[in-house]
Amino acid sequence: QVQLVESGGGLVQAGGSLRLSCAASGTIFARLTMGWYRQAPGKQRELVAAVHSFGGGAEYADSVQGRFTISRNNAWNTVYLEMNSLLPEDTAVYYCNLRTWRRFPGVYDEYWGQGTQVTVSS
């Protein structure tokens, strides 16, 4: 059904920028939340940023607010993460995430990309 494919990861120096992209295939037409998570070695996977099709705008982790920007195309099949002023602590595997919300309150289906490595050197 739904498949998410990330791209844009790589190696960058501290203070630099990267733009991650996530392309969603399969039919996606619902109340959606698309976002980015990351997981560093020895740490739990954490939400980086998310955007909602049903309103509410975007949300960000405190650690990236003001540096990262999430966006999507109008068809809601691509989500981006613009990462600026990168820090070594941003080093992690970044995962694209999609939630499709059901009519029943609080119920959703969730999909994950395979992850893309972001390494920030000092």
Side-chain angles (χ1 to χ4, degrees):
Q1 297 186 35
V2 176
Q3 186 174 22
L4 306 175
V5 180
E6 301 100 331
S7 62
L11 175 65
V12 66
Q13 291 184 333
S17 299
L18 284 174
R19 193 190 195 202
L20 305 182
S21 298
C22 174
S25 61
T27 300
I28 304 175
F29 187 79
R31 291 163 58 89
L32 308 174
T33 299
M34 301 187 75
W36 293 91
Y37 288 72
R38 68 185 182 187
Q39 188 168 24
K43 297 183 179 180
Q44 287 199 326
R45 188 172 299 187
E46 63 175 347
L47 175 69
V48 177
V51 64
H52 312 280
S53 70
F54 47 88
E59 59 185 280
Y60 298 91
D62 290 342
S63 59
V64 307
Q65 193 164 11
R67 299 188 296 119
F68 292 8
T69 302
I70 189 170
S71 61
R72 47 76 181 178
N73 65 353
N74 289 334
W76 284 89
N77 57 16
T78 308
V79 64
Y80 309 94
L81 186 68
E82 184 71 35
M83 308 164 65
N84 299 313
S85 301
L86 282 162
L87 303 169
E89 48 262 46
D90 294 318
T91 296
V93 177
Y94 284 70
Y95 298 90
C96 183
N97 173 267
L98 169 67
R99 290 178 177 179
T100 62
W101 298 88
R102 303 292 189 94
R103 297 286 294 182
F104 194 87
V107 179
Y108 59 88
D109 297 313
E110 191 167 54
Y111 308 89
W112 293 93
Q114 82 288 346
T116 185
Q117 178 70 47
V118 172
T119 302
V120 184
S121 65
S122 59

